[in-house]
Amino acid sequence: MKVLFISSEIFPFAKSGGLGDVAASLPKALANYCDITSIMPLYTKIDTKKHNIIPTGLSFDFVVANIHYYFEVYQSQNILFLKDHNNLFNRSEMYGDFEDNDIRFGIFSYAVLEYIKASGLHYDILHINDWQSALIATLAKEHYFLSGKVVFTIHNLAYQGIFSKDSIDRLALKWDYFTPAVMEYHDNINLLKSAIAQSDIVTTVSPTYAKEIQTHQFGCDLENFITDNSYKLEGILNGIDYDEFSPNIDNNILYKYDSGNIEAKKANKRVLLEALFLHDENKPLFIFIGRFTAQKGIDQIIAALHILQYMPINIAILGSGEENYNHLLASLSGKYDNVSITIGYDEALARKLYASGDFLYMPSLYEPCGLNQMIAMRYGTIPIVREVGGLKDSVVDINQANQSQTPKGWGVTFQNSDAHAIIDATQRALALYENEDRYLECVKYDMNFDYSWHSSAKAYLELYHKLSSGWLPQRMIPTFEIPSGYSIDTLKTIAVNPKTLYTYWEVTPSLVEKYQTNYSDLKLKAFADGICIEETSLYDGNGNYYFYHEIDFKKVWTKIGFYTADGTFTTILSSNYFIAPNSKIIYAENIIWRNLDTDALLHKKFIFSHKYFYESQEYFSSGMLAKQHQRMEQSLKTFDASSTHNISKGAKS
Ligand code: ADP
């Protein structure tokens, strides 16, 4: 099986955080079982000589939106690098607030696919990661017609690649993708969202995060969309590369050690404390390493320092990130005798900290997986973590270790995201530190706990195999119970094939009579791009209004209404719209639960739920319900405000 693993960063060539680590270590672990190649941009900052990155001789060019792009392919072992000649990757930083980020990574996505074309190779699996390579999911299938399956891994849902809809033309994409079901997001485009829609499988980097992102708290405004797609969502816990992260081989540290020789950790600590101007090696050393961003709980750490300064501990902080935090932490540096703060990204110092620390803080507000806690455990530094995401999946509180159903590393865990929780956890950590036997037991247990890629790589491999053998996850369709006292109507707009629209209103027969008495001439109308293309009052006597219509349209929807004596049309109910016939949705269905006791049509008292059917695969979303309901209510308000419409066919709706 042939796999292409696509990432915007791979350690040691480029790394901003966990993605860089995973993009290095997961393919390395998978290489034992399948033929896997990784590919990333060749940022000009990468030292090609140092890393022995050499040209392969392969180059290709292509045109997107009338701009000519030229790429050369470089290589170092089984990692490929795409060198651009259009100033896409020659920036001071890998990621930044650049105006052309859509182009930078959109064109990278094109270039990966152009590379596949130029190389003449077939890949069974394209494994894309985060928003930077997300566009590949759409392009691979619909522009390049590749048959390989697409696996999309979300490493952090907070970064979605949201751009103005102008990017559709800038990247020569089809406007058909600009639908809520694929790429549209509050009138912008959202690349991460499009990859969720278009990939065959979506994975997150821990099982708990896969669940969390379906909730309002962690869903970054995509929770309903993700819930809709949860049938193809899986959480696989990351691992770490033990060839990279092991204190007995790590050349960044002075005194190498393992669980049989923990005394050497103390020697590392002694040297580090001196370098950081901290005192008293008998006090436990608490470390924090990470990006300075709210996600990492840095505000809570800063608040807790006011109290932690009085405790018999030392604290060493290393990180960099958002400017306001960089400044704030720089201003705190030197303020507390027992706190050292280093601003910057320093791999070697990070390793020294892991090798010297007694405890590691990770009070993240959310954490897709988190690698720091795994690295810390490997180095015998006990993690103090908030119970979220991958932290919850990888660390159990030492006091509850026996109750844990799945084996996890031992640490100190807490739930609240405030300074008190950190202070309280620090006190518990201190108590553990003072109980030397238990403390050492915990350190050794963590050092020997297996967080290598061993089992997780196998989980990915299993997915690859299943997908390449033709398996695809299927949507589950929940059934409804109709609330008592309600009848059910169904308003359907279906593109039965690219040429025919089928519009269908199925209404409880007993109500038809009543409606017809009240509203004399009920009509069912279909609209395309704002134009009424068909209307009918054809009733089959069994509760069905319907018609077929030849189509040549884009945006379609259906309305039910009636004409008043003066010939104006009053809309009672309008369906959701969808884009046909090229979009994935070929079928929109609005189910209306109608209260039998009220004159619901007039008062518009309905309960809606909505079904879309994708390429004849049934789809229902209970998660979408609230939002759709809201949208529908909004549209009903609009219809209320302008409830009279011109009678003539072809009138604008
Ligand atoms: P994220 O990807 O959210 O930043 P992870 O815990 O998944 O967080 O991965 C963080 C990785 O980056 C770890 O390898 C950690 O040691 C490293 N790291 C984070 N900040 C720094 C820094 N300032 N200097 C060196 N290494 C860092």
Side-chain angles (χ1 to χ4, degrees):
M1 186 171 35
K2 228 171 150 45
V3 181
L4 188 62
F5 191 93
I6 303 132
S7 176
S8 57
E9 55 180 89
I10 302 176
F11 178 81
F13 315 105
K15 168 176 160 180
S16 74
L19 172 61
D21 283 328
V22 173
S25 52
L26 172 59
K28 185 177 160 200
L30 285 165
N32 295 321
Y33 311 101
C34 62
D35 177 4
I36 185 164
T37 304
S38 304
I39 191 163
M40 65 173 286
L42 186 56
Y43 302 101
T44 39
K45 280 188 97 178
I46 296 176
D47 187 338
T48 46
K49 275 209 187 87
K50 178 176 151 200
H51 294 296
N52 197 24
I53 299 171
I54 50 169
T56 60
L58 182 64
S59 65
F60 52 85
D61 53 359
F62 55 95
V63 174
V64 173
N66 296 323
I67 297 176
H68 182 253
Y69 294 96
Y70 173 61
F71 278 83
E72 287 175 278
V73 184
Y74 281 60
Q75 183 163 26
S76 170
Q77 296 176 345
N78 56 352
I79 300 176
L80 299 173
F81 300 83
L82 296 180
K83 180 181 166 72
D84 87 283
H85 288 262
N86 294 72
N87 299 327
L88 300 176
F89 298 118
N90 62 348
R91 312 292 162 93
S92 52
E93 295 160 64
M94 236 189 321
Y95 314 128
D97 216 359
F98 306 119
E99 267 184 4
D100 59 346
N101 277 334
D102 55 339
I103 302 291
R104 295 177 74 221
F105 292 102
I107 294 302
F108 168 62
S109 299
Y110 270 102
V112 168
L113 294 157
E114 287 289 335
Y115 154 73
I116 296 176
K117 201 160 99 180
S119 68
L121 296 170
H122 165 77
Y123 289 94
D124 301 292
I125 301 288
L126 300 180
H127 190 151
I128 58 178
N129 294 277
D130 278 351
W131 75 264
Q132 292 90 345
S133 50
L135 194 58
I136 288 175
T138 296
L139 294 177
K141 292 184 177 181
E142 302 191 15
H143 286 224
Y144 289 82
F145 306 107
L146 299 185
S147 58
K149 297 293 191 298
V150 179
V151 177
F152 176 47
T153 298
I154 301 171
H155 297 259
N156 193 335
L157 185 66
Y159 303 92
Q160 299 180 0
I162 297 170
F163 301 102
S164 145
K165 62 184 174 207
D166 298 345
S167 302
I168 293 194
D169 288 333
R170 279 154 67 86
L171 289 168
L173 301 172
K174 292 184 197 156
W175 278 93
D176 291 345
Y177 307 138
F178 194 62
T179 74
V182 183
M183 198 175 273
E184 190 268 344
Y185 178 78
H186 300 299
D187 211 35
N188 291 314
I189 65 163
N190 182 325
L191 295 182
L192 179 133
K193 183 181 174 194
S194 72
I196 294 174
Q198 306 278 61
S199 299
D200 296 299
I201 277 276
V202 180
T203 69
T204 61
V205 288
S206 70
T208 294
Y209 193 56
K211 286 191 204 126
E212 287 173 344
I213 59 175
Q214 297 178 49
T215 65
H216 177 65
Q217 194 186 350
F218 297 100
C220 302
D221 199 32
L222 284 184
E223 59 274 13
N224 292 335
F225 186 76
I226 293 170
T227 307
D228 295 342
N229 285 283
S230 58
Y231 72 98
K232 59 172 164 178
L233 179 66
E234 200 164 309
I236 300 175
L237 193 69
N238 281 338
I240 56 172
D241 180 0
Y242 279 8
D243 293 339
E244 188 57 51
F245 296 108
S246 282
N248 58 344
I249 52 166
D250 190 335
N251 288 328
N252 295 293
I253 62 179
L254 212 50
Y255 302 101
K256 299 190 175 47
Y257 61 97
D258 55 30
S259 61
N261 171 27
I262 301 174
E263 279 310 299
K265 194 168 159 71
K266 283 231 164 75
N268 285 311
K269 180 174 168 182
R270 207 169 300 134
V271 176
L272 183 90
L273 289 181
E274 210 177 311
L276 298 179
F277 304 106
L278 292 170
H279 314 288
D280 196 349
E281 64 188 81
N282 293 323
K283 288 191 210 163
L285 173 63
F286 289 66
I287 61 171
F288 173 93
I289 302 169
R291 287 179 296 117
F292 289 159
T293 173
Q295 176 205 339
K296 297 291 176 185
I298 192 72
D299 292 297
Q300 290 73 9
I301 290 271
I302 291 169
L305 288 179
H306 297 300
I307 302 294
L308 297 178
Q309 63 170 317
Y310 301 115
M311 291 172 73
I313 62 174
N314 280 311
I315 300 174
I317 294 173
L318 165 65
S320 67
E322 292 162 19
E323 275 311 301
N324 55 331
Y325 288 119
N326 290 349
H327 284 130
L328 181 58
L329 281 146
S331 74
L332 291 176
S333 168
K335 182 172 175 189
Y336 307 112
D337 285 347
N338 64 340
V339 181
S340 147
I341 299 174
T342 309
I343 315 282
Y345 188 92
D346 187 337
E347 190 75 41
L349 178 57
R351 303 298 180 89
K352 290 184 177 71
L353 286 168
Y354 288 123
S356 309
D358 298 297
F359 296 95
L360 168 101
Y361 283 125
M362 252 185 127
S364 307
L365 304 189
Y366 71 92
E367 194 58 75
C369 175
L371 298 177
N372 294 24
Q373 79 280 14
M374 294 182 189
I375 302 170
M377 287 189 268
R378 182 71 174 156
Y379 283 68
T381 303
I382 296 172
I384 300 176
V385 305
R386 184 156 175 258
E387 293 164 20
V388 283
L391 298 174
K392 191 172 169 181
D393 291 335
S394 55
V395 184
V396 60
D397 192 280
I398 186 155
N399 293 331
Q400 274 140 33
N402 296 338
Q403 284 111 280
S404 176
Q405 285 173 349
T406 41
K408 297 174 189 173
W410 290 350
V412 177
T413 74
F414 58 91
Q415 284 181 345
N416 291 350
S417 57
D418 54 41
H420 295 294
I422 295 175
I423 294 160
D424 178 63
T426 307
Q427 269 159 346
R428 287 195 287 134
L430 253 177
L432 173 63
Y433 189 72
E434 278 156 17
N435 182 348
E436 202 179 342
D437 289 347
R438 184 71 170 142
Y439 169 74
L440 283 176
E441 186 190 2
C442 185
V443 168
K444 284 186 187 169
Y445 180 86
D446 281 348
M447 289 186 81
N448 293 322
F449 198 93
D450 185 4
Y451 275 123
S452 71
W453 271 104
H454 188 68
S455 55
S456 298
K458 286 208 161 139
Y460 277 106
L461 194 74
E462 203 176 302
L463 262 189
Y464 293 169
H465 276 299
K466 279 202 295 190
L467 285 170
S468 63
S469 66
W471 169 86
L472 279 177
Q474 297 296 328
R475 287 178 190 278
M476 302 291 287
I477 310 160
T479 49
F480 297 105
E481 251 180 55
I482 305 172
S484 68
Y486 281 73
S487 75
I488 188 160
D489 297 357
T490 311
L491 179 59
K492 295 176 182 174
T493 318
I494 310 165
V496 280
N497 60 45
K499 278 260 165 254
T500 316
L501 175 75
Y502 175 41
T503 303
Y504 189 90
W505 179 31
E506 188 182 45
V507 60
T508 313
S510 62
L511 290 181
V512 173
E513 211 174 300
K514 181 178 161 195
Y515 295 156
Q516 283 180 337
T517 317
N518 287 350
Y519 309 113
S520 65
D521 194 14
L522 275 174
K523 294 282 185 199
L524 179 62
K525 288 180 151 208
F527 291 82
D529 292 341
I531 307 289
C532 176
I533 52 166
E534 183 74 75
E535 72 172 53
T536 187
S537 49
L538 204 72
Y539 178 59
D540 72 355
N542 294 316
N544 299 315
Y545 284 81
Y546 65 93
F547 57 76
Y548 285 91
H549 188 90
E550 284 294 303
I551 48 172
D552 174 22
F553 55 73
K554 282 225 144 68
K555 195 168 166 181
V556 294
W557 65 94
T558 310
K559 287 181 178 179
I560 300 167
F562 60 90
Y563 288 107
T564 52
D566 65 354
T568 50
F569 185 73
T570 301
T571 303
I572 297 167
L573 177 66
S574 177
S575 74
N576 273 12
Y577 72 81
F578 68 97
I579 310 287
N582 291 325
S583 85
K584 289 260 176 205
I585 298 177
I586 58 164
Y587 179 176
E589 176 175 305
N590 299 274
I591 296 178
I592 307 133
W593 293 343
R594 193 182 301 284
N595 190 327
L596 295 167
D597 298 333
T598 60
D599 192 351
L601 266 187
L602 197 61
H603 296 103
K604 297 174 182 164
K605 284 184 182 146
F606 314 118
I607 301 175
F608 293 98
S609 66
H610 302 271
K611 277 186 180 179
Y612 292 106
F613 287 67
Y614 285 79
E615 290 173 343
S616 79
Q617 241 181 353
E618 290 211 2
Y619 161 75
F620 171 75
S621 147
S622 51
M624 285 291 269
L625 195 64
K627 230 175 215 169
Q628 298 278 23
H629 195 173
Q630 219 177 9
R631 216 181 273 173
M632 185 60 79
E633 270 181 347
Q634 188 55 43
S635 65
L636 280 174
K637 266 188 215 143
T638 318
F639 290 126
D640 269 343
S642 56
S643 60
T644 51
H645 296 262
N646 199 305
I647 188 171
S648 63
K649 271 192 184 184
K652 281 266 175 198
S653 161

